[in-house]
Amino acid sequence: MMVILGIETSCDETAAAVVRNGLEGLSSVVSTQYELHERFGGVVPEIACRAHVENTLPVVQTALEEGGVGLEELDAVAVTTTPGLIGALLIGVTTAKALCWALELPLLAVNHLHAHIYAAWLSGEEPTLPAVSLVVSGGHTSLYLTHDRLRHELLGGTVDDAAGEAFDKVANILGLGYPGGPPIEREARDGDPAAVDFPRSWLAPDSADFSFSGLKTAVLYHCLGQNASKRDIETAEHAPGFVADVAASFQEAVVDVLVGKAFDAVERHGARSLIVGGGVAANGHLRNRLEREAARAGVSLHLAPRRLCTDNAAMVAGIGYHMLRAGEVADLAVEAHP
Amino acid sequence: MTCSARIECQTAGPEQTMSLGAALGDMAAPNDVFGLTGTLGAGKTCLVKGMARGLGVADSRRVISPTFVLLRRYEGCLTLYHFDAYRLDDAEAMEDIGCAELFEAGGVSVVEWADHVDGCLPPEHFRVSIRVTGSSRRDFAIEGVGDGPSDRMEELRHRLAPWSADS
């Protein structure tokens, strides 16, 4: 039996979790700043690094307490070392190194995106491999060919904005606050997804790359014309029906592309299943469309559990268990890579 | 501090914006800092993609928006530090991510939404303002702030002649 502490500080969230044997979550603590973000109208009032310094030790302590685990019971510490904001990553990495040095424990250096893919295993299902994995979040939109839990081959990714970023920016255009995913999904329920024919960017026919920048701009032009300043965006008022229709049409355009490209990749690579993780994978409409398409195409679909889609440390501790078993232990001199 | 005359350029589509960016990247020197302003969809990230190409970043197609992560870094002939202040609201927040240190680290720094973090740019920098003038047309105004950048404006004007708004 192995108990692993996971630490995640790659972007906004400070997170820690205790996971037993790679699957059994004993605790998962995430200290989000969403309330602050929202109060300040979508702008981070205090930047991630400073907040991480203040949050990391209390969050780790809470995760241990909630998990009912003492430091002496840990078998290893797993930490996200890449990719992310360097100053933010460093705080988690330094904390993990200090713990490993003091407690003489193995250190596991986790790739944040691989951890998002591993979140699908935390649903308790075992994806048939090879699988195609889609990680779709605020900072990333990437497709991988997953050979096993630890080996992922990058097939393509966004060439401009991530899908989650498009949600955040469109929510800003529509005056819906931050983060943009949940309010757009909510508004879209009352809207007509065919109301506005927003562009779907497929790039080259066989491309596994994504582009969402043009869609964001198309939404802006549709709502406020071509010359809207940031101030115009902040002060604009829209009729409720209009907001619902734009939200629904925008969401439909994003989902069409994500679903289309994911299943194209499954077919092209002869994959047995499709894994989807990352913050945008919490979107209910995307989940429904993926499920429908998976049933139609006879592909087994593995979605990360909703609460483990956004950044968390349970996925970090979980994949860390498999790294430990595979002997993929990091040196204490390991560095964070942006 | 001197502020020399502006260079005005025009582009008609993302490809041209990237070429203009490549010319800027090609003339960039160690420790140059570029502050970019322009509304959503103006083409700031597109311009930086071109700058990366000009700086010799091997896969400049992979230069993507840093809005969520605040800073991305690419290796070319010089290191490109690509900042995005969209989610920030003051210079202090920008300083928190270590911008002062990176501005002087020998690479080339570009700050999107520079108007959000006024005051954190060094005394000498280039200012690039982008204005949307059509669905794919953009106007660029480039200014050198401080003696060093001002002295390089003539060279820059020559390099950017293909996109000059006067020609």
Side-chain angles (χ1 to χ4, degrees), chain A residues 12 44 50 159 165 172, chain B residues 39 49 62 65 86-87 96:
Chain A
D12 289 358
V44 179
R50 199 186 317 157
V159 297
E165 178 180 339
N172 184 22
Chain B
T39 191
K49 218 183 247 280
R62 292 285 162 222
S65 170
Y86 178 80
R87 303 199 298 141
D96 255 9

Side-chain angles (χ1 to χ4, degrees), chain A residues 116-117 119-120 134-138 140-141 163-164 167 181 185 254-255 258 275-288 290-291 301-310:
Chain A
H116 269 304
I117 296 171
L134 170 67
V135 180
V136 56
S137 68
H140 306 275
T141 303
F167 269 92
E185 184 179 353
V254 175
V255 168
L258 292 175
I275 296 171
V276 186
V280 179
N283 180 284
H285 186 57
L286 174 62
R287 294 174 88 89
N288 291 341
L290 285 166
E291 274 161 10
L301 176 69
H302 301 273
L303 296 167
R306 253 205 182 86
R307 67 191 166 81
L308 297 177
C309 285
T310 44

